[in-house]
C-alpha cells in the first residue's frame, strides 16, 4: 500500500465531485463523493470504493452557498479520513482546453491566466472548473495540480474534420473549430482496448458515449479521427435536454420572427429539447422505456436512429469499422438502445448476440456474436482514473 494519495476534482456548475486514489502503479480508488446543489441546498455525500456510504449530510445552513465553501468542506472531510498519508497531486477535470491546451498541463499562475481566456467558450463550466485550482493553490501551495481537458483527445482529428466551412481566417482569429468533448472518457476506452481486442486497439473503432450528454468518436489505432460534438457540447447526437445538431438558421428564426430573447433560445436548445423536449415526459431514458405514451417511443426512436446515423458517418471518416463500443449511463445499461442501434447497423457487419446483450457486468464484455465481422463491446467508462493517471504522469515530468 502506498502512502501517497491522488485527489481528482470534477467541478461542475452546481456540484463538486471528488475521487481519492492511492498512488499505486495504476491508481486505486479509495473513496469518492460530492457536494451537490451548491446554490440551493448543498449536501455532502461520500462512498467507499466498494460502494458503502461513508457520509451523507447537508452542509451547515449558515455557510455561504458557494463553490469555495463546498471545496473547503470536502478538504476538511478528507483530512479526517487520510491521517498519516500525503496528498501527492491533485488532478482537475476541465471541460474546455480552448485552442491552447492539447494535453494535460501543470497548473501555474500563467496557465490559470490562459484558462481564464477559455471562459467565453464554456461559460457555464469553465469558471467552476478554474475556481478550485485557485482555492487549492492558496490552501495547499505545495501540492502540484494538473488540469486535464475533455477537448484534448480530439486534437488528433485531421484539419478537415476540425474545421467548419466558415471563412478560414475568421475561424483562426476567433478559435472556432470542432473541439469535441468527453475526451477523457474516450481516452480511457482507448486505454482498455489493447487488453481486450488487439484488432480494435490497432484498427478502426467507433465509441458511443451515451449518457445524459451523448457523443461518439471514431478512433484509428486509438487516436481520434472524428467526433460528433463540435465547438460546444450541443452539436451531434440528441441528448437528455439538448437538441444535438439542427439547422442553425432556426436560431435566427426564433430571434427574428418569434420574438425570443437570446437566453430563451439558449434555454430552448440546451435545457428543453432532446429526449425531454421530444417526449414531454423526461430526459431520462429509463422513464421513457417505462412509459406507454407514443411520444416517449418517438424520443427513443429518434435517439436510436441518430446514434446509428452518426455511427455510419463516423465509419466513413475512418473508412470502415472493426469494433463498436458502448459506454456511459445509457451505453452501459440500456439493452434496448444497444439492440436497436445494432439492428440498424447490421449492414455494416454488426451481428449482436442477444443473450450477451442482456447480461450485466461491471467489466468490459463482448455483446456481438463470435462470427460478427464487427466486434461490439460494452466498456464501463472511468474518466476519474484517467485524470489520476495524467496527474501522476504530469506531476513527475
Ligand atoms: P451519465 O450521464 O453517463 O451518468 O448517464 C445518465 C443517463 O443514463 C441517465 O439520464 C439515464 O438516461 C441513463 N441510464 C442510467 N441507467 C440506465 C439504465 N439502467 N437503463 C437505461 N438508461 C439508463
Amino acid at each position: 500500500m502506498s502512502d501517497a494519495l491522488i485527489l481528482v476534482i470534477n467541478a461542475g456548475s452546481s456540484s463538486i465531485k471528488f475521487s481519492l486514489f492511492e498512488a499505486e502503479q495504476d491508481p486505486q480508488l479509495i473513496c469518492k463523493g460530492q457536494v451537490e446543489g451548491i446554490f440551493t441546498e448543498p449536501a455532502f455525500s461520500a462512498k467507499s470504493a466498494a460502494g458503502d456510504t461513508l457520509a451523507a449530510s447537508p452542509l451547515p445552513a449558515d455557510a455561504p452557498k458557494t463553490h469555495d465553501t463546498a471545496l473547503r468542506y470536502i478538504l476538511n472531510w478528507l483530512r479526517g479520513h487520510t491521517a498519516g498519508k500525503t496528498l501527492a497531486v491533485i488532478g482537475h477535470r476541465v471541460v474546455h482546453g480552448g485552442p491552447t491546451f492539447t494535453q494535460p498541463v501543470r497548473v501555474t499562475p500563467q496557465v490559470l491566466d490562459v484558462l481564464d481566456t477559455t471562459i467565453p467558450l464554456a461559460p457555464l463550466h469553465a469558471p467552476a472548473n478554474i475556481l478550485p485550482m485557485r482555492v487549492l493553490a492558496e490552501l495547499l501551495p505545495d501540492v502540484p495540480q494538473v488540469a486535464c481537458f475533455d477537448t484534448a483527445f480530439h486534437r488528433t482529428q485531421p484539419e478537415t474534420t476540425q474545421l467548419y466551412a466558415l471563412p478560414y481566417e475568421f475561424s483562426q482569429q476567433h478559435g472556432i473549430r470542432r473541439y469535441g468533448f468527453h475526451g477523457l472518457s474516450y481516452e480511457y476506452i482507448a486505454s482498455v482496448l489493447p487488453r481486450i481486442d488487439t484488432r480494435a486497439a490497432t484498427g478502426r473503432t467507433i465509441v458511443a458515449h451515451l449518457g445524459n450528454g451523448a457523443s461518439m468518436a471514431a478512433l484509428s489505432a486509438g487516436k481520434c479521427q472524428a467526433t460528433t460534438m463540435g465547438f460546444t457540447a450541443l452539436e451531434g447526437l440528441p441528448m437528455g435536454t439538448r437538441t444535438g445538431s439542427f439547422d442553425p438558421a432556426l436560431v435566427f428564426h426564433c430571434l427574428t420572427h418569434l420574438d425570443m430573447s437570446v437566453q430563451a433560445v439558449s434555454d430552448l436548445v440546451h435545457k428543453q429539447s432532446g429526449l425531454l423536449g421530444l417526449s414531454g415526459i423526461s430526459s431520462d431514458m429509463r422513464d421513457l422505456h417505462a412509459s406507454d405514451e407514443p411520444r416517449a417511443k418517438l424520443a427513443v426512436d429518434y435517439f436510436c436512429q441518430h446514434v446509428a446515423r452518426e455511427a455510419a458517418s463516423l465509419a466513413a471518416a475512418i473508412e470502415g469499422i472493426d469494433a463498436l463500443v458502448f459506454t456511459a449511463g445509457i451505453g452501459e445499461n440500456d439493452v434496448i438502445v444497444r439492440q436497436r442501434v445494432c439492428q440498424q447497423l447490421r449492414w455494416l457487419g454488426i451481428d449482436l448476440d442477444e443473450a450477451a446483450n442482456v447480461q450485466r457486468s461491471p467489466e468490459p464484455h463482448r455483446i456481438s456474436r463470435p462470427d460478427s465481422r464487427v466486434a461490439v463491446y460494452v466498456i464501463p467508462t472511468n474518466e476519474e482514473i484517467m485524470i489520476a493517471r495524467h496527474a501522476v504522469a504530469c506531476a513527475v515530468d
Side-chain angles (χ1 to χ4, degrees):
M1 263 211 325
S2 160
D3 282 344
L5 301 173
I6 310 160
L7 176 63
V8 170
I9 297 285
N10 180 356
S13 49
S14 65
S15 70
I16 299 181
K17 298 187 175 124
F18 71 90
S19 306
L20 188 68
F21 292 85
E22 232 159 54
E24 297 292 324
Q25 194 179 10
D26 199 26
Q28 297 295 313
L29 183 69
I30 302 170
C31 63
K32 53 166 73 177
Q34 58 187 333
V35 173
E36 282 180 298
I38 288 181
F39 299 113
T40 50
E41 290 179 25
F44 176 76
S45 60
K47 287 188 170 176
S48 70
D52 300 321
T53 299
L54 301 175
S57 64
L59 261 57
D62 55 352
K65 296 180 181 358
T66 62
H67 280 81
D68 189 282
T69 309
L71 188 61
R72 286 169 196 263
Y73 190 94
I74 290 171
L75 284 186
N76 257 336
W77 185 86
L78 285 170
R79 268 193 209 105
H81 286 75
T82 56
K85 304 209 172 193
T86 316
L87 186 54
V89 61
I90 303 169
H92 294 266
R93 180 187 192 170
V94 183
V95 166
H96 214 304
T100 310
F101 297 113
T102 56
Q103 56 188 17
V105 64
R106 184 89 176 250
V107 178
T108 63
Q110 294 74 27
V111 164
L112 283 168
D113 288 344
V114 181
L115 278 173
D116 284 339
T117 68
T118 67
I119 290 175
L121 298 174
L124 279 182
H125 290 102
N129 293 162
I130 298 166
L131 181 133
M133 298 180 204
R134 290 209 160 92
V135 174
L136 288 165
E138 197 188 304
L139 294 178
L140 304 168
D142 298 330
V143 181
Q145 299 189 64
V146 174
C148 303
F149 303 96
D150 258 323
T151 48
F153 184 71
H154 303 296
R155 293 287 66 78
T156 51
Q157 292 179 101
E159 191 184 21
T160 42
T161 313
Q162 291 197 45
L163 281 172
Y164 288 104
L166 289 162
Y168 191 88
E169 297 76 13
F170 176 84
S171 297
Q172 296 298 314
Q173 190 184 347
H174 299 292
I176 291 170
R177 63 174 73 161
R178 284 200 173 88
Y179 285 102
F181 297 88
H182 293 138
L184 293 158
S185 174
Y186 293 122
E187 195 178 6
Y188 174 77
I189 301 293
S191 81
V192 171
L193 288 177
R195 183 159 56 83
I196 61 168
D197 185 335
T198 313
R199 183 165 159 260
T202 56
R204 301 155 301 178
T205 295
I206 293 175
V207 185
H209 176 110
L210 309 179
N212 191 36
S215 74
M216 297 173 75
L219 316 187
S220 183
K223 299 269 183 284
C224 181
Q225 299 298 314
T227 188
T228 57
M229 282 180 170
F231 181 64
T232 75
L234 184 64
E235 192 175 350
L237 297 172
M239 306 177 215
T241 61
R242 283 172 256 170
T243 51
S245 293
F246 67 100
D247 184 345
L250 185 61
V251 173
F252 311 135
H253 182 75
C254 292
L255 293 173
T256 316
H257 299 293
L258 304 185
D259 212 18
M260 291 171 71
S261 66
V262 172
Q263 188 60 51
V265 182
S266 174
D267 286 350
L268 180 80
V269 300
H270 286 100
K271 297 182 181 168
Q272 299 159 11
S273 296
L275 298 177
L276 174 67
L278 283 168
S279 68
I281 293 170
S282 171
S283 62
D284 193 309
M285 197 56 101
R286 287 165 290 197
D287 297 336
L288 302 184
H289 290 314
S291 168
D292 293 331
E293 292 294 324
R295 274 176 48 197
K297 181 178 178 310
L298 175 77
V300 177
D301 289 350
Y302 187 97
F303 185 81
C304 294
Q305 192 193 100
H306 278 76
V307 173
R309 283 175 60 172
E310 291 288 357
S313 165
L314 291 170
I318 48 175
E319 299 180 23
I321 170 170
D322 300 309
L324 172 65
V325 175
F326 288 98
T327 193
I330 298 171
E332 291 167 26
N333 297 298
D334 195 322
V335 170
I336 299 167
V337 167
R338 292 198 301 251
Q339 197 273 333
R340 299 272 305 276
V341 170
C342 289
Q343 175 66 32
Q344 199 166 342
L345 292 173
R346 271 184 73 87
W347 60 277
L348 271 179
I350 288 174
D351 198 356
L352 186 72
D353 181 333
E354 302 282 352
N357 186 37
V358 297
Q359 269 163 25
R360 292 191 166 275
S361 167
E363 295 298 318
H365 55 286
R366 183 173 166 133
I367 59 167
S368 52
R369 289 180 189 278
D371 56 353
S372 176
R373 202 187 56 68
V374 176
V376 185
Y377 294 97
V378 176
I379 304 180
T381 195
N382 192 340
E383 289 146 305
E384 288 77 17
I385 202 169
M386 209 58 238
I387 297 169
R389 288 176 186 165
H390 280 311
V392 172
C394 206
V396 296
D397 261 3

